[in-house]
Every structure is written in structure tokens, then in C-alpha cells.
Amino acid sequence: QVQLVESGGGLVQAGVSLRLSCAASGRTFSNYAMGWFRQAPGKEREFVAAIRWNSGNTYYADSVKGRFTISRDNAKNTVYLQMNSLKPEDTAVYYCAADERRFTGVSRKEYDYDYWGQGTQVTVSS
């Protein structure tokens, strides 16, 4: 059974950095796409970034491009989201997700992802 466990969230001030981790278990993820989504209070969940596990190709939402970096560690079966220059508008619950059905590229739609973590809260104060 696939399990995704996020960690690394917290309360930080604007301008600082934070790194989220997503530990994946239960499958061989080499053909998966792994994504990060976020949901702010009162808003719909939105795509943040994604990575193809085998190729390492990365994809970003325009709102985080240049500030966030997604990466993976094959040995640890872990996906990371390095978040720099955080802004109050980055405040949200961040979710890790896995897409096992797509073999090329990534989807930016949450309904294309098959497995989800429980989420980790990121709060950025001004």
C-alpha cells in the first residue's frame, strides 16, 4: 500500500526558507510523477510543483517558479520541496501526491493523482 508522509512545515517569517519532505513507501516509484499541492483557507487546492521520479524533470506553477525547487532522493524514496523567499500568500496546507498512471510529463490537476499524504501546515507571517 502506498504511503506518503509529509514533514517540515511550520510557522516562519516572510523572506525565510523552509524545506518540506515527502517520504514515500509501499511501491517502486521509478515510473511515478510526484507532485506538491497546497490549499489555503477558503481556497481550492492548487498545483505547486511536480517531478518525474525517473527522469528528474520538474514542473512549477508560475506563482512559485524561481523561489521553490522540487527534487527527489532515490536512495531515501523522498521528495523535497525547497521553498525560498517565502511570502504570506504561500500560507497553506501542503500536500504530497503520487500519480501512477501517467508515464510521461506531469498533470497539474489534483484528480489525476492517485495517492495523497496527510498534509503539513506552512504559515508565513509578514
Side-chain angles (χ1 to χ4, degrees), residues 41-112:
K43 294 188 176 181
E44 294 186 351
R45 190 152 52 182
E46 64 175 0
F47 172 81
V48 175
I51 187 169
R52 293 270 351 153
W53 201 291
N54 48 7
S55 66
N57 289 341
T58 57
Y59 307 81
Y60 297 95
D62 288 342
S63 59
V64 306
K65 199 173 295 183
R67 298 188 299 123
F68 290 11
T69 302
I70 188 171
S71 62
R72 86 273 192 249
D73 184 326
N74 291 339
K76 296 182 178 180
N77 247 21
T78 299
V79 177
Y80 302 100
L81 185 68
Q82 177 67 41
M83 305 185 294
N84 298 331
S85 303
L86 282 163
K87 305 176 181 180
E89 51 263 43
D90 294 318
T91 295
V93 177
Y94 283 72
Y95 297 91
C96 176
D99 176 0
E100 66 179 356
R101 292 171 287 162
R102 186 175 299 272
F103 295 105
T104 59
V106 301
S107 171
R108 298 169 185 253
K109 305 296 185 183
E110 60 174 305
Y111 52 71
D112 284 329

Side-chain angles (χ1 to χ4, degrees), residues 3 30 114:
Q3 190 171 20
S30 57
D114 305 288

